[in-house]
Every structure is written in structure tokens, then in C-alpha cells.
Amino acid sequence: MNDLLIIKLLHLLFFVYWLGGDLGTFYASRFLVRRGLNTQQRSIAFTIMMGVDQGPRLCMPLILASGIHLAVGMGMIQAPAALVPLVWLIASGWFAMVLLLHFGHGRSYVPSLTRFDFIFRILMILCCVGAATAGSAAALMTDRMAVKLVVFAALVACGLGIRLSLKPFGLLWAQMLSQGISEQGDSQLRAALAKARRYVYLIWAGLLVNAAIGIHLISL
């Protein structure tokens, strides 16, 4: 049981760093378009935001792997023993991909890896929803675990929603850095951030729902 207690502790820490990192990213994003700040100050805020945002990005695959590990160990999922190392292997690859994208600025592989990352996340959404549906129907997974998997899939989908919402942001940000700050440019940047924040709120809600299910605050 000691190993499961360690995994449970890690699972809780991944939740804390995901939610805490999201809050830090959200707060730092407000300085990107704050009136009175010059481009250099905004660039510093952007660097801080992107650094803090790596916490949630890295915790996403780890919280999935540790959650599956716990569920199998506690009998919430009836599966072959090979499932746990397989899930950790996939999560490790996902983790490495996040790091490669973060530190690979200017590298030739980044565009291709970014496209692969997007497709990979769609596949993860489908796999989680499919596993939850099939597992619950075949009584190989508790309803509690099935719901948590579906909520996790929704969190991944929200992450993709943020990415799509911020597509105009990169070009607008580059224009601001090269041409200077303007009221029109700030208005467009605020609009892009506002669209992304809708998904951020959903992520916070989803994390709290899964936490409530995990501590049996919500009964299923």
C-alpha cells in the first residue's frame, strides 16, 4: 500500500501545481495588455507567464498517469497489469513533448511537433472518452472513474480551445513588439485573451469537479 500512498501524494501535488500554475498564468496574462507598461515590461510579463504555464502543461499527462495507477491499484479499474506501465510510458512521452516544444524555440522540428501534439491530444480525448464509455458499460470501471476520465478529456479539449483562441495572438504580439503599442492593437490582444479565458474558467471548474469526485464530495 505504501507505493499507492506515494502515487496518491504525487497525484495531489500534480493537481495543486496544475491549478496553481493556471492561476499564476491567468494573473500574469493581465500584464500583457496593461496600460502604462512599455513593450519591454510586457515582454518580461510574457516570459514569466510562459514559464509558469509549464507547470499545468507538464502536470496534465502526469495527473492522468498517476490517476490511472491509483484506480487500478484500488480496484476502480479492472485491467491487465500491463496497463499501468503503458499509461506511464505514454505520459512520459507526452511530458517530453511538452518540454521539447517549450525549449525548442527556433528549432526546425517545432512546427511538425506542434501539429503532432495537437493530433495526439485529440486522440487522447477520444481514448479517454472511449475507455470511460466501454469500461463503464462492461463493468470494468466504476462510474466514478469513468466520469473523472470524461472530465479529464474535457480539460484536454479546453486546452485545445485555448490554443485555437490564441492563434491571432502571436501575430498581434509580434506586431506590437515591432511597431509599438497602440490602442487598436491592445484592443485586439484583449479580445484574443478574453476568448481564451472562457476555456480557462472551464478548466478550473473541471479540476474542482474531479477533485470533489476524488474525495467523495460528489457521490456517483
Side-chain angles (χ1 to χ4, degrees), residues 8 98 109 141 144 148 169 194 204:
K8 184 180 289 188
V98 172
Y109 64 79
M141 181 184 301
R144 180 180 301 276
K148 284 173 70 70
F169 184 88
W204 294 352

Side-chain angles (χ1 to χ4, degrees), residues 72-90:
V72 172
M74 296 171 66
M76 297 173 69
I77 295 178
Q78 305 298 323
L83 176 65
V84 171
L86 175 61
V87 171
W88 276 109
L89 181 63
I90 294 170

Side-chain angles (χ1 to χ4, degrees), residues 18 21 26 51 54-55 73 77 79 82 92 99 121 141 172 176 197:
W18 185 343
F26 180 85
Q54 291 314 298
I77 295 178
S92 298
L99 289 177
R121 288 169 191 259
M141 181 184 301
L172 293 169
M176 184 205 69
R197 285 185 183 125

Side-chain angles (χ1 to χ4, degrees), residues 36-206:
L37 296 183
N38 58 38
T39 54
Q40 182 180 7
Q41 292 167 324
R42 293 184 182 197
S43 294
I44 292 172
F46 182 81
T47 302
I48 293 171
M49 183 189 74
M50 293 305 295
V52 173
D53 191 44
Q54 291 314 298
R57 290 173 183 267
L58 293 170
C59 286
M60 182 178 282
L62 297 178
I63 206 169
L64 173 65
S66 59
I68 297 294
H69 192 146
L70 276 175
V72 172
M74 296 171 66
M76 297 173 69
I77 295 178
Q78 305 298 323
L83 176 65
V84 171
L86 175 61
V87 171
W88 276 109
L89 181 63
I90 294 170
S92 298
W94 190 352
F95 186 94
M97 186 160 52
V98 172
L99 289 177
L100 284 171
L101 289 172
H102 179 63
F103 292 108
H105 301 297
R107 302 291 180 86
S108 59
Y109 64 79
V110 170
S112 298
L113 188 59
T114 300
R115 288 191 293 271
F116 175 79
D117 175 76
F118 193 91
I119 295 170
F120 172 80
R121 288 169 191 259
I122 292 175
L123 292 175
M124 288 304 301
I125 293 169
L126 296 176
C127 285
C128 287
V129 173
T133 304
S136 179
L140 297 174
M141 181 184 301
T142 63
D143 290 341
R144 180 180 301 276
M145 191 60 208
V147 172
K148 284 173 70 70
L149 265 180
V150 171
V151 172
F152 178 82
L155 299 182
V156 180
C158 285
L160 295 181
I162 291 173
R163 189 180 301 188
L164 292 173
S165 298
L166 290 177
K167 282 188 87 171
F169 184 88
L171 179 58
L172 293 169
W173 184 257
Q175 287 177 347
M176 184 205 69
L177 293 178
S178 62
Q179 301 173 13
I181 298 170
S182 68
E183 188 58 42
Q184 181 182 4
D186 275 359
S187 177
Q188 292 173 324
L189 285 169
R190 288 191 190 96
L193 288 172
K195 288 180 181 178
R197 285 185 183 125
R198 294 177 299 184
Y199 295 103
V200 173
Y201 299 141
L202 289 173
I203 287 175
W204 294 352

